[in-house]
Amino acid sequence: MASAPERQRRGAGRLRTWIIIATSVAVAACGITAWTLAGRSPRPVSGQDSAIAARTRGPATPSPLRPSPGPSPSPVIAVTGAPSGVKAKGAVLADAATGQVLWGRNVDTMRPMASITKVMTALLVLQSGDLGREIAIPKAAVSYAWKYGGETAALHPGDVLTAAELLPALLLASGADAAYTLANAYGPGLTAFVARMNATAARMGMTHTHFASPDGLPYPTETSTYSTPADLLTLGLAAMRYPAFRSVVDLQFYHLPKGRGHHQYWWDNTDDLIGSYSGAVGIKDGYTDDAGHCLLFEAVRGSRTLIGVVLDSPSSGVAAGAQAAKQMLNWGFRLPPAS
């Protein structure tokens, strides 16, 4: 039987090759359609509100691919040692520009991922296009969130918001009501939307992932929706290609002033890494009793961009996932370039 360090090295090597292949598949999956912010006329806002609103208006297509190495990449970061103090049962850290895996633990072990699920929901909305589409909040969305004990964005039934305005409700406030609303509109219906989530995951090479809902709530069972650190790395790389996605997930809060057909909303980012770690730019956190603290994250320091995943970090406080991510990032940013 191989030693633990040897198993880790073998796993990292397999994952590096896997990431290169899966990222190529993800590109094909994510490039299906372009989106536009057409439709509703802009609402008059000012000051900080205007600046935040402007950040959600990006190009009509995903950003160009980050550089990707060939089948046998040469490492650009010299890896020595491992991050200390990380207690998460599943984790991975990689260079977002090259796909080089720096460290991993149980990278192919399937675990519930809680609200990280909402990243796939957002990705399908972005792929579908027309972020200016106006969507009425159904009463069933609020009932759904309450029934299953999910986080809510406190959406008001009958309010009409654009898909672009619902993305902060989904990704920052982690609203199960926002997930229901978007899935119901874009499915159409939850069943069709969840089927699209699974089909998209398959096209992206996320072979150890399954979705039972658009939000990651623990039903029908705690483990009905699951993924792996390796698969979620692919999902994060794909989602961060969209300027509209990036411009939301690094916000500490989002303010939507009262406007035509809807109430005023304030949504704080539930990701504890944002605002507490220099260079953090997203992506999404999650928690259930069975999933533990989970986080899909990305951070930038100088010319280096690191992306990683934490699954089932044991509770040591509400920011347990962010604490594990900080330990991984601090280690990764200290690594020297390969000579």
Side-chain angles (χ1 to χ4, degrees):
M1 181 178 294
S3 66
E6 179 62 24
R7 289 197 299 272
Q8 179 176 313
R9 285 193 294 272
R10 291 178 185 175
R14 289 194 300 270
L15 178 57
R16 182 183 303 172
T17 301
W18 185 90
I19 289 291
I20 297 163
I21 297 170
T23 301
S24 299
V25 177
V27 173
C30 292
I32 297 172
T33 57
W35 56 264
T36 60
L37 274 171
R40 176 180 295 187
S41 300
R43 300 187 183 90
V45 292
S46 61
Q48 187 178 36
D49 297 334
S50 180
I52 293 173
R55 298 181 69 185
T56 65
R57 296 179 174 86
T61 56
S63 299
L65 254 186
R66 302 174 187 188
S68 180
S72 302
S74 299
V76 296
I77 299 175
V79 179
T80 56
S84 62
V86 179
K87 298 179 180 179
K89 293 180 180 178
V92 69
L93 183 70
D95 183 332
T98 67
Q100 179 189 356
V101 174
L102 307 179
W103 176 79
R105 174 184 292 158
N106 298 323
V107 296
D108 292 320
T109 300
M110 296 174 287
R111 303 181 189 279
M113 57 183 147
S115 287
I116 293 178
T117 298
K118 296 181 176 86
V119 175
M120 179 60 86
T121 298
L123 182 60
L124 262 63
V125 170
L126 292 167
Q127 288 178 359
S128 296
D130 188 14
L131 293 188
R133 175 181 180 177
E134 295 186 337
I135 302 171
I137 309 302
K139 184 177 181 180
V142 178
S143 302
Y144 168 87
W146 280 102
K147 178 179 179 180
Y148 293 105
E151 294 281 349
T152 79
L155 297 176
H156 293 263
D159 274 10
V160 176
L161 281 72
T162 65
E165 291 163 347
L166 283 166
L167 285 178
L170 175 76
L171 296 168
L172 300 187
S174 200
D177 47 358
Y180 181 103
T181 299
L182 288 166
N184 188 60
Y186 280 89
L190 262 64
T191 300
F193 191 84
V194 171
R196 289 179 57 201
M197 294 173 77
N198 286 308
T200 301
R203 288 197 300 271
M204 293 171 65
M206 297 170 60
T207 57
H208 295 88
T209 297
H210 178 75
F211 297 102
S213 72
D215 43 61
L217 289 174
Y219 67 89
T221 72
E222 285 273 2
T223 57
S224 294
T225 294
Y226 57 82
S227 189
T228 67
D231 279 5
L232 292 178
L233 206 59
T234 295
L235 178 61
L237 286 166
M240 289 295 276
R241 291 186 59 226
Y242 284 84
F245 183 90
R246 294 197 310 270
S247 67
V248 170
V249 294
D250 72 341
L251 296 174
Q252 288 187 261
F253 68 91
Y254 183 92
H255 176 217
L256 181 63
K258 182 179 180 180
R260 174 173 55 86
H262 67 80
H263 293 74
Q264 172 179 248
Y265 291 99
W266 282 91
W267 294 310
D268 292 327
N269 196 334
T270 59
D271 181 354
D272 291 295
L273 201 64
I274 301 300
S276 70
Y277 189 84
S278 177
V281 293
I283 301 176
K284 186 73 188 77
D285 63 336
Y287 175 83
T288 66
D289 289 343
D290 198 67
H293 292 272
C294 304
L295 185 62
L296 172 58
F297 59 91
E298 185 168 297
V300 180
R301 292 269 180 93
S303 61
R304 183 172 293 180
T305 302
L306 300 181
I307 185 169
V309 179
V310 170
L311 292 182
D312 199 1
S313 189
S315 291
S316 58
V318 294
Q323 289 300 320
K326 288 177 183 179
Q327 291 164 323
M328 293 164 62
L329 288 168
N330 287 338
W331 172 79
F333 283 125
R334 284 196 300 264
L335 293 174
S339 57

